[in-house]
Amino acid sequence: MIWKRLICQIDLLLSKLLEHTGHHPVNYKNDRSMMMKKFGFFLTLIVFLLAFPSWGHAASTDTHIYLDGLELAQPKEAQAGNVKGSVMVPIRVISEGLGYDVEWEKKSGTVTIKQGDTALLLTLNKATALVGEESVALGVAPYLQNNTTMVPLRFVSQSMGLKVSWDNQAKSAYLYSPEGGTAEEILPGGATSAPNSGNVVTVPDNNSETGIGNGYISETLTHINNVSFLDNKLMIAVDGAVKPNVFTMSGPDRIVVDIPNAAFGDTFALDASNKGELGITDNAGISKVRYSLFSSAPSTIRFVMDLNQSSQYSVTNLNDGMLIIDLSGVTVSPTLPNATIGQKVVVIDAGHGGTDPGTSSPTRLEKDYNLAIALKVEALLKLEPNITVVMNRSDDTTLTLKNRPNIANNIKADIFISIHANSVDDTIKTNPSGTETYYTRDDSIALANVMHKNLVQATGLNDRKVRQKNLLVTRETTMPAVLLESGYLSNAYDESVLFDPIVQDRIAAGIVAGIKEYFGL
């Protein structure tokens, strides 16, 4: 109807124009027809541009994509942006940043993204994609912008198991790798909530078309009332519960603390630009602490610790009014306990812990299962004369996701074993059961195969195979690394098996048997 009214108005305008210029009524019809044809060309062009937002409303040249705190380089002519309410991102940039292989078939207009046995297939101008053999709705069809395929950010979350958000003010997309503990990669488009790893940076408004980029659920803001640095600890006083996202950046070295759904209190010291700085003069490792309002949608306060040298850190967040980033209190020392030449060094990573419970059943927490198995594995490995075992945590302690691989890398461990239990969202009807083993890099395949064989025998549960997935702890480690998902806490039978003390002894023995087999001991 809009276009009909527009055409009528154009016709009326042309009629008055021809009459004003003195055209004879006999020629009026032909003259008007000729002018309408010429005008029709421009009208068609306008319609075409409006129909393809990637032409008329391309993303800003000042956009950013961050993966686990590190910015990914984007092509200048095809950058992430909000197009008519849908956040579109260049899929090649994200895929290659995650270590996927990307193939472009110009003739068919298809893009294939592969990682191990998993394949994602997208087709230009088609609003569905294939993830393995399953069809997933995209909401907005992919389009080509300067030879770069743009896809909805929501698809990245659904198909790659990432937690994602879009800050429209900063024109930035934030992507975070999961630690493990959910089955999003098995049931794409189903279980869409991220693991409770403390990396939640936004609360998507799921009533919007895409669930991302169109708005955020309104929440009461927590106020930041004070900040101080004492005894190698950054202490941030808050008046409510917070879920900070803490990560490191380099060039120069710094530690970043983002606190979403927060605002500065009235008594907080800020300059005219709503920024502030805390000078540090008595610590050789850090020069200053900067803070500002980083984002307004959602309201996010950012603290940046400018380091003189790279540093590990631990996070204490008991929701007791004080958030602490400790540069000296890392739970595990990166030195080898009683290591001797020739011993194999094994890092055992009990997933989650402390304020991060992981997944759960109606009555059990994943972090408790992970720690119970890890402690049993530690006790058995201490009996092995050719193995030195290092624990990422030996109690119910909060350990940042980044620190887990960092500890193993710093001590130059030979292998890294992360212990977890799995789950699916309770709205999923398939109720899977069984044991899975995950790896990321090809140099971890041999370890994954050996560990999985022994773990399946130990649990007695269904064999759900060895799987490749982009997980931070198995990606950022520099040695062979695997993540073990012993069973599903969302399955009542699996839960009863995993929390049976006799089965737990068997699982620990199976993990140790796999480690020894891998080393040939």
Side-chain angles (χ1 to χ4, degrees), residues 216-407:
Y216 298 90
I217 297 172
S218 175
E219 293 188 351
T220 302
L221 298 180
T222 298
H223 288 94
I224 311 296
N225 294 320
N226 194 17
V227 61
S228 59
F229 189 86
L230 183 66
D231 294 333
N232 229 27
K233 299 181 181 69
L234 178 69
M235 294 174 282
I236 303 171
V238 298
D239 66 1
V242 294
K243 292 183 179 180
N245 172 41
V246 186
F247 55 91
T248 59
M249 300 185 75
S250 58
D253 291 319
R254 54 206 187 276
I255 296 173
V256 180
V257 183
D258 282 348
I259 306 177
N261 301 305
F264 288 116
D266 294 337
T267 60
F268 207 91
L270 298 169
D271 62 17
S273 301
N274 288 323
K275 297 180 180 180
E277 184 177 297
L278 182 65
I280 310 295
T281 58
D282 57 352
N283 190 295
I286 179 172
S287 60
K288 61 184 175 181
V289 177
R290 296 177 284 120
Y291 44 86
S292 65
L293 176 64
F294 176 68
S295 167
S296 58
S299 180
T300 301
I301 302 301
R302 167 167 287 189
F303 291 85
V304 179
M305 306 169 69
D306 290 326
L307 306 177
N308 297 322
Q309 59 191 25
S310 61
S311 173
Q312 290 187 330
Y313 62 89
S314 63
V315 180
T316 301
N317 180 27
L318 303 178
N319 288 324
D320 59 355
M322 187 68 68
L323 170 64
I324 300 174
I325 314 300
D326 189 349
L327 302 190
S328 60
V330 178
T331 304
V332 181
S333 173
T335 57
L336 293 177
N338 303 320
T340 60
I341 296 175
Q343 284 187 318
K344 299 297 183 181
V345 179
V346 178
V347 170
I348 299 297
D349 174 53
H352 306 285
T355 59
D356 174 14
T359 189
S360 65
S361 70
T363 58
R364 310 272 193 168
L365 298 178
E366 181 196 354
K367 68 174 185 177
D368 297 332
Y369 167 80
N370 299 341
L371 182 60
I373 299 299
L375 292 175
K376 291 176 182 291
V377 169
E378 178 191 27
L380 293 174
L381 287 178
K382 283 183 175 180
L383 302 177
E384 298 295 329
N386 296 315
I387 294 177
T388 293
V389 58
V390 175
M391 301 287 286
N392 265 0
R393 68 178 181 98
S394 297
D395 53 22
D396 189 21
T397 301
T398 302
L399 187 65
T400 65
L401 190 56
K402 286 280 189 180
N403 265 349
R404 297 174 188 270
N406 286 347
I407 291 169

Side-chain angles (χ1 to χ4, degrees), residues 52 82 93 294 355 400 409 478:
F52 292 91
N82 194 323
V93 169
F294 176 68
T355 59
T400 65
N409 294 341
T478 57

Side-chain angles (χ1 to χ4, degrees), residues 14 76 163 206 240 287 297 346 349-350 363 417 475:
L14 288 176
K76 292 182 179 180
K163 178 66 181 177
N206 291 320
S287 60
V346 178
D349 174 53
T363 58
I417 309 291
R475 184 186 75 230

Side-chain angles (χ1 to χ4, degrees), residues 206-217:
N206 291 320
N207 291 323
S208 63
E209 179 185 356
T210 63
I212 294 174
N214 291 339
Y216 298 90
I217 297 172

